[in-house]
């Protein structure tokens, strides 16, 4: 049976993982390769590396990070953050990334989704959507640039459009839930999962193991992503997976 | 020595690093005259079937691979496995290498009870061993493997099925006929199970 995926997300800045200071057992908590291998040993099904570098040097360093991770890691990983062009996509995939996540650049230049999918197959183009509930319009509005800029897109419509353009997966982050640790945004996750025929990764709001169960059962997500609760060891990938297994969820 | 066939459509880096982790010497080439020196070949691939066959034909690798496989082992991975079949309906009907009988077809996206399901088939799925005595499965327990594909092989000869996954029907996961093998999943991304399967292939090449 196809398993539900648990995906830790690592923020990388200038080639170093930020957060994750609680990993006292690691020699170097900022080393992306070491953290990747740690999560792999814990049973992570995939990893996401989000490049939050502010400089072009940092972006070049990311290619090196990807290369080093790909040399060691035997599970798939996605790279996102600041990817602007087909050349950027090619460079990162050739360095060993399995998937590329596009967010602001996909909104600004939707053809980039199609170009990437045509070149490497839709399976490696992930469309990341940051969405926030707008009580005035009663819709979930898409934001870009790390949640700074509102767009006129409705999240469900944009997800459908992105898939039509060639995206092979949707990474849906709820800005309302992000950092709240009170659970994923189940309503929107379910709506998007039912609106598109590609897998949907729920993101934003994970606080405990049962939140993942809700994301899969109520949110109809195919995978769920979390960052801080894993970094700060509030729970572990292994704990979440054993809880889900007990609850009868298909888990690797 | 293992040769990795580089025709411009593979994630060669991940595969070559996986061989490195297994301490397996390898080389990468798109030249039949170089590749023929290998004891066994791996044909990787992501992307579209038609583009891939176009490149294989252009580089004179089509004829070469068919000849190579008469005497030495060949392993296709993901799109590389699909290329081993007679034809694919991806895009317009395109002829494949014709090393294993069958046609590559798309997941319908509609289950038997009429419900929609997700395509691509993406993520970790369990395998069922159909031919456990195959040298590729030697010493392995059916485990999880990482799949990502929208098309699958519809086999003409049931005997070519070595392992299968279930995704709204039986999906050929490992296939083989004589010297020719294919894995629909990515062994280089399938954790320890994938590594063990690759190792079995390397062993088979060594013993050939």
């Amino acid at each position: 049976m196809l398993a539900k995926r648990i995906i830790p997300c690592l923020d990388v800045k200038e080639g170093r993982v930020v957060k994750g200071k609680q990993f006292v057992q690691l020699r170097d908590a900022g080393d992306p390769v070491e953290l990747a291998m740690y999560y792999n040993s814990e049973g992570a099904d995939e990893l996401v590396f989000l490049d939050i570098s502010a400089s072009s040097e940092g972006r070049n360093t990311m290619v090196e990070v990807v290369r080093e991770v790909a040399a060691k890691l035997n599970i798939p990983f996605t790279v996102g953050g600041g990817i602007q062009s087909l050349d950027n996509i090619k460079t990162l995939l050739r360095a060993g990334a399995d998937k590329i996540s596009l967010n602001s650049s996909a909104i600004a230049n939707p053809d980039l989704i199609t170009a990437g999918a045509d070149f490497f197959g839709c399976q490696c183009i992930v469309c990341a959507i940051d969405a926030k509930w707008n009580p005035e319009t009663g819709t979930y509005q898409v934001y870009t640039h790390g949640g700074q800029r509102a767009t006129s897109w409705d999240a469900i419509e944009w997800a459908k459009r992105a898939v039509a353009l060639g995206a092979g997966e949707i990474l849906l982050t709820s800005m309302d839930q992000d950092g709240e640790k009170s659970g994923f945004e189940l309503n929107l996750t379910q709506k998007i999962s039912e609106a598109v025929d590609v897998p949907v990764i729920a993101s934003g709001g994970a606080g405990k193991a049962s939140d993942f169960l809700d994301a899969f059962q109520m949110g109809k997500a195919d995978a769920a992503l979390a960052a801080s609760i894993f970094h700060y060891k509030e729970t572990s990938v292994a704990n979440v997976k054993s809880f889900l297994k007990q609850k009868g969820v298909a888990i690797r | 020595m293992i040769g990795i066939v580089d025709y411009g459509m593979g994630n060669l880096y991940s595969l070559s690093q996986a061989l490195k982790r297994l301490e397996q010497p390898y080389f990468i080439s798109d030249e039949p005259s170089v590749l023929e020196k290998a004891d066994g070949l791996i044909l990787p691939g992501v992307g579209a079937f038609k583009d891939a066959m176009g490149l294989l034909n252009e580089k004179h690798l089509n004829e070469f691979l068919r000849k190579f496989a008469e005497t030495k082992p060949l392993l296709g991975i993901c799109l590389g496995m699909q290329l081993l079949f007679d034809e694919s309906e991806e895009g317009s009907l395109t002829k494949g290498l014709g090393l294993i009988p069958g046609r590559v077809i798309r997941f319908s996206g509609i289950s038997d009870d009429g419900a929609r399901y997700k395509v691509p088939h993406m993520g970790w799925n369990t395998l069922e061993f159909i031919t456990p005595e195959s040298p590729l499965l030697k010493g392995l327990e059916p485990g999880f493997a990482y799949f990502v594909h929208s098309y699958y092989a519809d086999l003409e000869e049931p005997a070519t099925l070595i392992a299968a996954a279930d995704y709204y029907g039986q999906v050929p996961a490992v296939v083989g006929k004589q010297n020719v093998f294919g894995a629909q999943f990515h062994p280089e991304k399938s954790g320890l199970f994938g590594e063990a399967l690759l190792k079995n292939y390397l062993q088979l090449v060594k013993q050939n």
Side-chain angles (χ1 to χ4, degrees), chain A residues 11-40:
Chain A
D11 287 351
V12 180
K13 192 176 183 183
E14 321 290 329
R16 306 279 295 165
V17 176
V18 292
K19 303 181 190 171
K21 298 290 184 219
Q22 306 286 308
F23 283 92
V24 281
Q25 79 278 29
L26 298 184
R27 194 166 37 83
D28 176 1
D31 178 25
V33 176
E34 213 169 333
L35 270 168
M37 296 313 283
Y38 170 79
Y39 281 127
N40 186 21

Side-chain angles (χ1 to χ4, degrees), chain B residues 115-179:
Chain B
R116 276 160 63 214
Y117 66 84
K118 308 255 169 146
V119 179
H121 170 216
M122 184 187 283
W124 296 85
N125 205 338
T126 38
L127 298 184
E128 182 194 354
F129 287 0
I130 310 291
T131 315
E133 63 276 16
S134 164
L136 279 196
L137 303 182
K138 199 177 163 193
L140 298 187
E141 291 292 327
F144 278 96
Y146 187 83
F147 290 84
V148 49
H149 61 123
S150 301
Y151 291 78
Y152 67 98
D154 187 17
L155 307 180
E156 207 167 282
E157 293 178 6
T160 57
L161 186 59
I162 295 174
D166 182 36
Y167 192 64
Y168 301 91
Q170 190 182 59
V171 179
V174 184
V175 294
K177 186 174 181 174
Q178 285 140 2
N179 292 321

Side-chain angles (χ1 to χ4, degrees), chain A residues 1-3 45-46 67 70-72 74-76 94-99 123 169 193-194 197-198 222 251-252, chain B residues 11 13-14 17 21 46-47 116 118-126 144 146 148 167 188-191 195:
Chain A
M1 202 194 295
L2 188 67
D45 296 304
E46 272 181 53
R67 202 177 292 278
K72 292 271 174 61
N74 60 12
I75 59 168
R94 286 196 179 127
D98 296 284
K99 305 181 205 174
Q123 81 290 335
E169 195 168 34
S193 190
E194 286 172 351
D197 291 332
V198 302
D222 300 281
I251 286 292
R252 178 173 72 108
Chain B
N11 190 343
Y13 187 74
S14 296
Q17 294 303 308
R21 290 195 293 271
V46 292
R116 276 160 63 214
K118 308 255 169 146
V119 179
H121 170 216
M122 184 187 283
W124 296 85
N125 205 338
T126 38
F144 278 96
Y146 187 83
V148 49
Y167 192 64
E188 75 280 19
K189 291 287 170 181
S190 293
E195 274 179 15

Side-chain angles (χ1 to χ4, degrees), chain B:
Chain B
M1 191 76 103
I2 290 284
I4 301 179
V5 186
D6 175 18
Y7 57 103
M9 303 216 22
N11 190 343
L12 304 183
Y13 187 74
S14 296
L15 176 62
S16 61
Q17 294 303 308
L19 294 179
K20 216 177 235 175
R21 290 195 293 271
L22 293 168
E23 297 176 353
Q24 168 65 46
Y26 66 88
F27 64 87
I28 297 172
S29 176
D30 65 349
E31 289 281 334
S33 60
V34 178
L35 290 166
E36 73 179 3
K37 297 189 182 100
D39 304 312
L41 291 178
I42 299 181
L43 180 66
V46 292
F49 191 97
K50 202 185 183 74
D51 298 346
M53 274 317 293
L55 286 162
L56 286 178
N57 287 328
E58 194 180 300
K59 293 175 184 286
H60 306 289
L61 287 163
N62 183 341
E63 276 303 307
F64 162 75
L65 288 171
R66 287 195 286 167
K67 198 155 176 8
F68 184 93
E70 284 173 14
T71 55
K72 292 193 267 189
L74 167 66
L75 171 68
I77 294 175
C78 199
L79 175 66
M81 159 178 152
Q82 297 182 355
L83 296 171
L84 303 174
F85 287 87
D86 293 326
E87 57 191 10
S88 169
E89 65 173 29
E90 182 178 355
S92 53
L93 199 62
T94 306
K95 236 168 106 73
L97 293 169
L99 290 163
I100 302 180
R103 176 189 270 199
V104 178
I105 59 177
R106 195 172 201 276
F107 285 109
S108 69
I110 309 279
S111 66
D112 287 344
D113 56 15
R116 276 160 63 214
Y117 66 84
K118 308 255 169 146
V119 179
H121 170 216
M122 184 187 283
W124 296 85
N125 205 338
T126 38
L127 298 184
E128 182 194 354
F129 287 0
I130 310 291
T131 315
E133 63 276 16
S134 164
L136 279 196
L137 303 182
K138 199 177 163 193
L140 298 187
E141 291 292 327
F144 278 96
Y146 187 83
F147 290 84
V148 49
H149 61 123
S150 301
Y151 291 78
Y152 67 98
D154 187 17
L155 307 180
E156 207 167 282
E157 293 178 6
T160 57
L161 186 59
I162 295 174
D166 182 36
Y167 192 64
Y168 301 91
Q170 190 182 59
V171 179
V174 184
V175 294
K177 186 174 181 174
Q178 285 140 2
N179 292 321
V180 181
F181 297 91
Q184 179 61 70
F185 58 87
H186 286 270
E188 75 280 19
K189 291 287 170 181
S190 293
L192 296 175
F193 176 84
E195 274 179 15
L197 186 122
L198 264 184
K199 217 172 177 172
N200 277 346
Y201 177 68
L202 302 177
Q203 192 61 31
L204 180 148
V205 170
K206 208 183 265 176
Q207 284 167 353
N208 183 61

Side-chain angles (χ1 to χ4, degrees), chain A residues 5 8 12 35-36 93-94 107-108 140 149 185 212 225 239:
Chain A
R5 289 168 280 152
V12 180
L35 270 168
L93 288 174
R94 286 196 179 127
I107 291 269
Y140 293 94
R149 287 192 210 167
E185 163 49 278
F212 291 84
L225 175 144
N239 281 343

